Amino acid sequence: MKTNLLGYPRIGEKRELKKANEAFWAGKISEKELFEVADTIRAYNWKIQKEAGIDLIPSNDFSFYDQVLDFSFSVNAIPNRFAPISHLSDMELYFALARGYQKDGIDITAMEMTKWFDTNYHYIVPEFYKNQSFKVRYNKALAEYQFAKDKGFETKPVLLGIVTYLLLGKEKENDFDRLDLASSLLVAYKQIVKELVAAGAKTIQIDEPCLALDLCPKAKQTYLSVYEDLRASFPNTEFILTTYFGALADNLSLALSLPFDVLHVDLVRASEQLDDVLNQIDGKKKLSLGVVDGRNIWINDFEKSVTLIQKAQQKIGNERILVSSSCSLLHSPCNLELENNEKVLTPEIKQWLAFAKQKLAEISTIKAIAENSLTESQKSAVAQNKTSNDNRKTSKLIHDTEVKARVASITEKDAHRKGAFVERQAIQQKALNLPLFPTTTIGSFPQTQEVRSWRANFKKGVLPLSEYETLLKEEIEASIRFQEEAGIDVLVHGEFERNDMVEYFGEQLKGYTFTKFGWVQSYGSRCVKPPIIYGDVLRPEPMTVRWSQYAQSLTSLPVKGMLTGPVTILQWSFVRDDQPRSTTCTQIALAIRDEVVDLEKAGIKVIQIDEPAIREGLPLRKKDWEAYYDWAIRAFRISASGVEDSTQIHTHMCYSEFNDMIQAIADMDADVITIECSRSQMELLDVFADFKYPNEIGPGVYDIHSPRVPSVEEMSFLMEKAIKVIPQRNLWINPDCGLKTRHWEETKKALIAMVETAKQLRNKY
Ligand code: GLN
Ligand code: ZN
């Protein structure tokens, strides 16, 4: 048996790469210094993998920005618009592709970015053109392989698979299919492999996660043709085909028929596929069993993993088995050893966790258990693993019988508002007395340097609580006064007290914990530190009521309460793996429900429950969507349905592409939904119009990502478009999203213009 790793985090344990990248972009360090940081990270990663007993250590899993971009760059898939900067150094050009280029009168937009499967990692979307040709511009895999070799590490180069690469990209011209580029791409691909083999690479990993998706017949055909060709060209190289993030399901026989020496399967996401894999595998192919979760932070359950491996042992024997992580550890934080502040992370909880470095040891230990070759220290690790898992099953920190009982007792009624939308709309109209085309904002106002410094000083203990709160109150009052003067109809308090829309709630909920260094790459130099849901979620006390109530006390206009929805809280956290996600989500929904009810009691008449992440929670396979919507939409409804019909519930989503989810959005039954719309020039509204979306809707009339102040004309133009397709009385006017990244100067101008737009429209209609 061997141990196999698919990939390791590249950000550095203390985000060294982030800092170096950003310093390089700011012109503060040289290319050479940037490479030194990268080299140190790479060498360290290989060293600890070797020490942990990993046999197949990956190389080329490192990236300065993104591995998909690396591949585009390697095969010269560089869009023509970057031609004016072709004189730049490779490194500068590479970053320009990801970040755009504005200098010396040249203005080139960056390549697009989107989510990597169902993770929170974003890749740079390849752009494809008709008759595009590929050539090896820079064999990055070779450079990394050789660099590792020079450092004394024999590695397994990792390449993005041809079909997955093409499928992840976008056609930028009409009348062609990007899969038709496969044969041309294969030529460059073979060149890359040829140079790797010549340099001594014996085993090459080819990532084809698209095999876990619904595939069209043409994609299946392409899989066969390219990989048969590749195999024939390199008969003596060992190729590993890696699949992850889901079951192969209907693509299993295809995956097994591809001429690879090893097939890697994800047994964390889909342990049920093992039987089928074992039944259908031929007499020679090896299996890499992904039993250590690359996407979460819990210690492995050795007994469970070993049971899976034993099944394989009986069927195909030790020689043909590799023990592995489910996917690349890119999605795990780096090293739990750094978490040594017991106040942040208690020892009891810490023993339940494993980050990337700890997962390496787990892979080795699991192999040793299965092979009966445990060392003394591994024996004690096994004992510790059992103790910790047993503790986790029964710990009082995790299990709260009251929470469980409450979840069990939820009825259908709890997931429904009292009256139907039409009745509620009439009642709310009376209660709120809003004009036609009411104006509002999405929640946050500028988080200025000052506001941030107050929070930082308060957290450091330099600023006493009472002074901190006084400052916040002053800021809230100023924002209320501004909104009144501007003439906005439904006000917000501004969210100045919040660091982040999930962390802020997590910090006040039982069942949540946090880390100091639990960073995971989100995109480029951007890292996130998702909070950890370890136990049953309970809201010990109101979380936002005080601030909303204070803001409401300052004005006679309605102030909107502002909450993050259960699905978004779930989606942006590390989630328990000892119960279904749906159960955890329902627990969060109850906590939010209680908050909604308390806000209502405190006199708040309009309450917004943000759900920007509902769409990204969608399962990879269409057949699983309905089940997801069933619990996710229900969770939102549970959170929203504890109030009277006179209380107006808003939700907000800032994801384009509502196409395939409009029914689900309607099922949420929010009284008002605000959506990001301006960049699509209101095109996103068409889905709502075609569907005859019954409830009220606020299509964003200006983009909040730029400091540009929109004119009344352009906002009117967008609203006129909206008025054509949506009943007037259902339309609101608001920006695309929250304004926390903006400055006050442009925010004020933009909102004053927005109110002016509403006034003009009211005069006209
Ligand atoms: N209420 C949040 C804000 O305004 C919404 C953020 C979001 O949609 N991502 O900041
Ligand atoms: Zn938003």
Side-chain angles (χ1 to χ4, degrees):
M1 247 185 245
K2 279 193 168 142
T3 49
N4 178 31
L5 190 76
L6 269 49
Y8 200 79
R10 56 223 181 189
I11 53 177
E13 291 186 346
K14 295 203 168 151
R15 290 182 299 158
E16 290 86 350
L17 184 63
K18 170 203 178 65
K19 291 167 195 163
N21 269 338
E22 290 175 0
F24 177 70
W25 299 337
K28 288 182 189 146
I29 64 169
S30 68
E31 205 166 298
K32 189 165 163 276
E33 288 167 298
L34 174 60
F35 265 87
E36 277 164 14
V37 173
D39 291 348
T40 309
I41 293 173
R42 277 181 278 210
Y44 172 78
N45 287 353
W46 289 320
K47 178 172 156 277
I48 60 174
Q49 290 173 53
K50 195 168 177 179
E51 284 168 2
I54 300 298
D55 299 314
L56 292 170
I57 297 176
S59 61
N60 199 35
D61 55 337
F62 177 85
S63 176
F64 281 98
Y65 202 97
D66 163 47
Q67 72 273 10
V68 182
L69 177 64
D70 291 353
F71 191 77
S72 293
F73 195 82
S74 289
V75 298
N76 203 34
I78 298 177
N80 273 334
R81 65 177 181 282
F82 291 92
I85 54 169
S86 56
H87 59 279
L88 296 185
S89 78
D90 265 10
M91 206 63 209
E92 283 172 313
L93 176 60
Y94 170 83
F95 283 132
L97 297 173
R99 309 178 64 235
Y101 188 85
Q102 276 127 342
K103 219 170 157 181
D104 310 328
I106 303 174
D107 186 351
I108 309 176
T109 46
M111 292 172 78
E112 215 182 294
M113 177 170 81
T114 196
K115 284 195 180 249
W116 175 248
F117 298 85
D118 57 355
T119 72
N120 201 9
Y121 175 80
H122 302 67
Y123 70 94
I124 301 287
V125 182
E127 297 180 16
F128 295 126
Y129 299 85
K130 222 173 177 169
N131 305 322
Q132 180 167 353
S133 64
F134 301 92
K135 65 163 196 237
V136 182
R137 177 194 173 95
Y138 169 58
N139 193 342
K140 172 175 172 272
L142 176 68
E144 301 228 346
Y145 175 76
Q146 262 164 346
F147 176 68
K149 215 173 199 156
D150 292 346
K151 293 266 166 200
F153 302 99
E154 182 55 37
T155 57
K156 165 195 64 168
V158 179
L159 297 176
L160 188 53
I162 295 177
V163 183
T164 291
Y165 174 68
L166 290 173
L167 288 177
L168 290 179
K170 262 193 185 167
E171 288 107 2
K172 291 288 172 170
E173 274 175 325
N174 292 331
D175 306 329
F176 86 106
D177 182 334
R178 58 197 188 280
L179 285 170
D180 291 335
L181 301 173
S183 49
S184 149
L185 180 57
L186 180 64
V187 177
Y189 210 84
K190 285 202 283 195
Q191 175 77 29
I192 291 173
V193 173
K194 192 175 155 197
E195 291 172 9
L196 282 169
V197 172
K202 299 269 175 307
T203 302
I204 295 177
Q205 171 181 323
I206 296 185
D207 282 353
E208 284 287 3
C210 281
L211 282 166
L213 305 183
D214 300 319
L215 290 175
C216 63
K218 187 164 177 169
K220 294 183 186 175
Q221 189 47 50
T222 312
Y223 268 115
L224 285 165
S225 59
V226 294
Y227 289 121
E228 269 161 18
D229 191 322
L230 186 75
R231 167 85 288 166
S233 311
F234 303 97
N236 300 322
T237 302
E238 181 175 63
F239 287 109
I240 303 181
L241 175 66
T242 50
T243 68
Y244 40 85
F245 300 153
L248 284 160
D250 58 331
N251 298 326
L252 174 60
S253 56
L254 170 67
L256 283 169
S257 72
L258 297 175
F260 280 78
D261 306 278
V262 185
L263 173 67
H264 173 86
V265 288
D266 183 339
L267 295 184
V268 174
R269 271 291 175 87
S271 61
E272 75 281 0
Q273 66 178 335
L274 182 60
D275 287 335
D276 289 339
V277 174
L278 291 172
N279 285 333
Q280 292 181 39
I281 196 168
D282 69 25
K284 275 193 8 231
K285 207 184 274 285
K286 294 182 190 170
L287 261 187
S288 168
L289 304 174
V291 289
V292 171
D293 195 348
R295 302 226 359 215
N296 215 330
I297 40 70
W298 307 106
I299 51 167
N300 194 264
D301 181 339
F302 286 166
E303 283 171 30
K304 209 164 125 195
S305 299
V306 171
T307 308
L308 291 170
I309 290 167
Q310 281 167 346
K311 237 186 206 176
Q313 284 175 297
Q314 279 156 19
K315 223 36 205 222
I316 62 174
N318 284 4
E319 301 295 296
R320 288 168 60 197
I321 296 175
L322 292 82
V323 181
S324 185
S325 54
S326 62
C327 58
S328 166
L329 299 183
L330 174 65
H331 313 286
S332 303
C334 292
N335 187 1
L336 186 67
E337 289 158 22
L338 302 182
E339 303 297 328
N340 45 25
N341 185 340
E342 296 192 359
K343 279 197 215 108
V344 179
L345 189 66
T346 68
E348 180 168 2
I349 298 175
K350 190 175 165 186
Q351 67 171 325
W352 305 329
L353 307 181
F355 292 176
K357 189 173 176 203
Q358 290 66 45
K359 287 173 194 284
L360 298 175
E362 289 189 337
I363 294 171
S364 290
T365 307
I366 293 168
K367 181 194 106 162
I369 304 174
E371 276 192 327
N372 217 346
S373 62
L374 287 168
T375 62
E376 282 312 309
S377 76
Q378 280 175 329
K379 277 183 194 153
S380 70
V382 174
Q384 181 58 49
N385 177 272
K386 187 166 170 18
T387 313
S388 300
N389 273 319
D390 285 348
N391 170 274
R392 194 173 159 218
K393 280 185 194 116
T394 53
S395 169
K396 284 212 175 55
L397 282 180
I398 295 184
H399 303 281
D400 184 316
T401 43
E402 266 172 52
V403 174
K404 291 190 207 295
R406 192 164 169 217
V407 167
S409 72
I410 296 175
T411 63
E412 257 327 280
K413 227 177 112 209
D414 296 324
H416 284 86
R417 298 289 298 270
K418 297 193 171 73
F421 171 71
V422 271
E423 297 160 29
R424 303 197 307 263
Q425 191 178 34
I427 298 172
Q428 288 163 20
Q429 180 50 35
K430 273 209 191 102
L432 295 168
N433 196 23
L434 295 170
L436 185 64
F437 310 128
T439 51
T440 191
T441 63
I442 307 305
S444 57
F445 275 131
Q447 286 258 337
T448 57
Q449 214 45 62
E450 267 192 306
V451 172
R452 285 171 205 276
S453 73
W454 300 338
R455 191 166 46 241
N457 288 339
F458 166 61
K459 286 209 164 155
K460 267 189 242 150
V462 191
L463 186 69
L465 178 68
S466 61
E467 279 173 43
Y468 173 57
E469 296 201 334
T470 306
L471 289 166
L472 289 176
K473 281 184 175 172
E474 285 168 8
E475 195 73 6
I476 291 173
E477 172 148 27
S479 96
I480 294 286
R481 294 296 164 247
F482 160 69
Q483 294 172 81
E484 285 180 333
E485 277 160 37
I488 293 177
D489 301 301
V490 174
L491 317 192
V492 296
H493 75 285
E495 300 182 26
F496 306 111
E497 76 287 8
R498 303 185 189 176
N499 36 3
D500 169 280
M501 64 185 289
V502 172
E503 203 174 31
Y504 181 75
F505 290 92
E507 280 171 353
Q508 302 186 71
L509 290 168
K510 202 180 144 245
Y512 257 98
T513 191
F514 304 87
T515 60
K516 263 192 97 160
F517 297 103
W519 298 99
V520 179
Q521 188 178 14
S522 172
Y523 66 88
S525 69
R526 196 68 91 90
C527 300
V528 292
K529 192 154 61 84
I532 298 171
I533 306 175
Y534 65 84
D536 290 330
V537 174
L538 180 79
R539 187 199 69 142
E541 311 170 28
M543 304 181 281
T544 65
V545 175
R546 234 158 40 91
W547 297 113
S548 290
Q549 201 169 19
Y550 172 70
Q552 185 65 82
S553 76
L554 301 170
T555 176
S556 55
L557 294 166
V559 176
K560 190 159 57 161
M562 197 55 59
L563 306 171
T564 304
V567 185
T568 299
I569 292 184
L570 180 86
Q571 202 57 38
W572 291 348
S573 305
F574 281 120
V575 177
R576 301 169 63 166
D577 63 352
D578 59 345
Q579 68 182 20
R581 289 172 76 81
S582 55
T583 308
T584 306
C585 195
T586 309
Q587 294 180 354
I588 304 168
L590 288 172
I592 301 298
R593 179 189 176 94
D594 292 348
E595 186 74 11
V596 171
V597 169
D598 280 345
L599 281 167
E600 181 185 61
K601 272 192 211 141
I604 304 300
K605 296 190 170 60
V606 183
I607 300 164
Q608 178 172 313
I609 308 170
D610 289 325
E611 282 291 20
I614 282 204
R615 190 168 207 291
E616 69 179 62
L618 267 185
L620 293 173
R621 298 272 196 163
K622 270 221 154 90
K623 70 166 178 38
D624 301 322
W625 285 14
E626 210 175 295
Y628 165 74
Y629 280 140
D630 278 352
W631 63 256
I633 301 302
R634 184 165 173 268
F636 175 84
R637 295 173 63 124
I638 290 168
S639 73
S641 297
V643 287
E644 296 302 319
D645 287 345
S646 56
T647 297
Q648 188 171 63
I649 300 289
H650 288 217
T651 190
H652 167 72
M653 287 186 171
C654 41
Y655 252 103
S656 44
E657 302 280 344
F658 296 109
N659 277 318
D660 39 25
M661 64 175 308
I662 185 69
Q663 180 65 54
I665 292 177
D667 290 343
M668 289 167 78
D669 196 27
D671 297 306
V672 182
I673 182 171
T674 53
I675 57 171
E676 177 185 322
C677 233
S678 74
R679 277 192 290 185
S680 77
Q681 292 289 306
M682 293 282 152
E683 265 165 34
L684 289 179
L685 259 193
D686 292 346
V687 193
F688 289 82
D690 294 345
F691 184 81
K692 300 209 169 9
Y693 181 76
N695 301 16
E696 297 181 21
I697 178 164
V701 290
Y702 80 88
D703 180 12
I704 52 87
H705 295 96
S706 117
R708 210 180 138 263
V709 176
S711 68
V712 173
E713 289 69 39
E714 61 187 86
M715 288 188 278
S716 300
F717 174 76
L718 292 180
M719 282 306 292
E720 294 283 7
K721 271 186 154 181
I723 288 167
K724 285 207 181 77
V725 296
I726 303 280
Q728 286 170 28
R729 63 169 306 191
N730 284 356
L731 275 174
W732 287 63
I733 304 190
N734 45 264
D736 268 348
C737 191
L739 296 158
K740 65 167 165 249
T741 56
R742 295 272 56 85
H743 295 289
W744 270 114
E745 197 194 326
E746 71 255 18
T747 298
K748 287 189 173 174
K749 287 185 188 150
L751 291 177
I752 288 167
M754 188 183 87
V755 172
E756 177 57 26
T757 307
K759 284 184 181 153
Q760 290 186 7
L761 289 169
R762 283 173 203 151
N763 283 337
K764 182 166 167 196
Y765 289 97

